[in-house]
Amino acid sequence: MKNTLLEQIKGKIAAWDKSDIYAVSLFVCDMNDNPCEPVVTLGYNTVEQLQKEIPNADGEQEAKWNYAFWLQNEELSFGAGETQSVVRQWIENAGYSYFTYEEMFGAGESPEESLYEGITEAFLEVLIEIVKELHESGFIKEQFGKEIPVLIHELEYYEEIGEQNLKANPAETVEEFVKFCNEW
């Protein structure tokens, strides 16, 4: 899964007009709130969008780092559609049990949490490894002419989000974002 996702991310980024992009987004959520169905959506934000949204936010930092003010461009959605089976296979190969939405939340008894607990953390670790590789291989600098953050995030911001991005990105690229997460 990691290599497939990495190659798909690289292919999408390589095709972008990068002149105005200041950050790449890896938005993570669980399809239908099912932890057995993690999805990551690739996108980006631009300086133009940031400037447009400053009046709608509680200041420049919120407009810059809060995904709610970003373009909402879905360049790739990995874990949904055709790639859902790739993620399911990864879950099973990692020793977890996969449960459909109906099995998780339908009538009857829900599966034992210990069978799927940890999927989210393991999925995030794969994303951290991918972002590190994008930076360490020189791909990000080559594509954008400088290092920019590749942010792994949810809709909410808190200290742990900042910490996972410090693990994944060069520290200087995420200092502002980490501060935003800690103050949010």
Side-chain angles (χ1 to χ4, degrees):
M1 178 187 81
K2 177 187 164 197
N3 292 335
T4 301
L5 178 54
L6 175 62
E7 291 309 311
Q8 287 189 17
I9 289 171
K10 288 169 88 173
K12 291 293 182 180
I13 290 174
W16 293 346
D17 171 8
K18 301 166 199 66
S19 59
D20 200 31
I21 297 172
Y22 69 87
V24 175
S25 164
L26 292 177
F27 169 64
V28 182
C29 67
D30 293 331
M31 193 169 15
N32 301 315
D33 290 326
N34 181 354
C36 295
E37 296 181 336
V39 176
V40 61
T41 302
L42 174 68
Y44 58 84
N45 206 28
T46 63
V47 173
E48 179 182 357
Q49 176 70 11
L50 164 62
Q51 296 302 318
K52 180 180 151 191
E53 290 295 335
I54 290 173
N56 301 320
D58 290 335
E60 183 175 341
Q61 291 301 300
E62 184 181 29
K64 187 173 188 177
W65 301 118
N66 188 336
Y67 185 66
F69 297 98
W70 285 33
L71 290 168
Q72 307 301 314
N73 46 7
E74 294 184 14
E75 298 291 312
L76 168 70
S77 188
F78 195 91
E82 292 178 13
T83 56
Q84 188 174 10
S85 62
V86 175
V87 174
R88 181 179 180 162
Q89 188 64 53
W90 168 80
I91 287 170
E92 291 171 348
N93 289 347
Y96 299 105
S97 296
Y98 175 88
F99 297 98
T100 64
Y101 177 83
E102 292 76 24
E103 292 169 326
M104 290 289 284
F105 305 109
E109 211 171 300
S110 296
E112 180 64 39
E113 188 175 342
S114 64
L115 298 173
Y116 60 85
E117 186 177 43
I119 291 173
T120 300
E121 292 78 12
F123 192 71
L124 289 171
E125 283 301 318
V126 169
L127 297 179
I128 289 168
E129 290 174 22
I130 287 172
V131 172
K132 285 172 85 167
E133 189 166 328
L134 288 169
H135 284 290
E136 290 171 358
S137 69
F139 180 81
I140 294 296
K141 189 171 185 178
E142 177 184 302
Q143 293 297 310
F144 295 95
K146 62 182 179 180
E147 292 289 355
I148 67 168
V150 180
L151 303 175
I152 304 165
H153 64 95
E154 306 168 5
L155 290 178
E156 300 294 324
Y157 299 92
Y158 46 91
E159 208 170 297
E160 193 175 325
I161 298 290
E163 290 170 10
Q164 73 191 19
N165 281 285
L166 277 172
K167 285 184 194 175
N169 291 276
E172 66 276 5
T173 66
V174 291
E175 287 172 353
E176 276 185 57
F177 179 72
V178 171
K179 184 176 179 188
F180 173 77
C181 290
N182 292 341
E183 293 174 354
W184 185 251

